[in-house]
Amino acid sequence: MQQVRLGLVGFGNVGQGLAHILRDYAAAYEQKFGVRFVITAVADMRLGCVYHPQGLDLAALLAKVEKDRTLKGLPDAQPDWDALTLAQQAEMDALAEMSYTDLKTGEPASTYIREALRRGVHVVTSNKGPVALHYGELERLAQENGVQLGVEGTVMSGTPALRLGREILAAAGIRRVEGIFNGTTNFILTKMEEGAPYPEALHEAQALGYAEADPTGDVEGYDAAGKVVILARLLMGVQMGMKDVDREGITHLTPEDIRQAKQDGRRWKLIGTLEWKDDRLYASVRPQPIPISHPLAGVGGATNAIHYTTDLLGEVTLIGPGAGRLATGYALLEDLLAICQLTPG
Ligand code: HSE
């Protein structure tokens, strides 16, 4: 039985989602893939740090966090450790980096990722900051150290938008990509169309765990712009900066705008677009009143979607979850399975 030791940095929504999956599906994965995932370390800014090189008791860990909102007091608690110590010292084959996103600096997550890669530890991450800002450097570092960097969870959570574009559609010639890349704003727009006021809809999106710690990033389009930058790099091979994305959020949309669009057979969506024109890649994120017949118009709630226009295959649309604890936790598992070349046996 192959054993894969994991260190987790960040034990909020996504970290706990991954832990839940590994707790509940461990037996099934042992049988299906011949692998045993063992979590050796967990570090979280607010909850504290636990470490045991032979593996932690996942059920006890989750029960403690759910009951007391802390990891402190567990037998394997490490009061002197933090996320950086974990990245530098924990025994692990892969680091799952799920700390908070900073799209201005990519820190502190980028530092954790670099430290792990330098030690020859694989990294899987759902963190948009390091990938949008430093993907080229981090990918080079992974290669130099003979390990891999998995980033599927940064766009559309576990819905395999990156894998589909980079692998299956890689030879089809992707000319244009447009999509709904932010669950929070799509949820808000759907609720507003149903008659809910904006603050109530935002509050609900926060309560459901879709929104970023600071929801400004969602509603002003920065989160979607970060994903567009990641798609530009990974699907089109172009490294853009956040400033290269022509960005506009949804905060100026009024209930009247939404009613009017409905009357005209249209629906407001926050659309991210990448398009080649005259050998230049143009990127934007902006609210658009799209016709009801458009493939993205029926995508409601926190669901995301990506519509690829290709030279050889025509148009392909992928729809699925874009946020949420299990959906994002699952993205990291997809990357781990790919890195360890695990297929059903
Ligand atoms: N805040 C993000 C969203 C989470 O609403 O889509 C997933 O990146």
Side-chain angles (χ1 to χ4, degrees), residues 128 154 181-185 210-212 218 223 227 304 322-323:
K128 286 149 276 187
T154 57
F181 300 126
N182 181 267
T184 301
T185 45
Y210 303 139
E212 298 297 303
D218 294 296
D223 174 77
K227 290 163 181 165
N304 281 194

Side-chain angles (χ1 to χ4, degrees), residues 7 19 35 40 95 131 151 157 202 216 223 266 278 284 297-298 304 321-322 328-329:
V35 66
T40 56
L95 172 73
V131 182
V151 301
S157 67
L202 171 59
T216 316
D223 174 77
R266 291 174 175 267
D278 305 326
S284 63
N304 281 194
T328 312

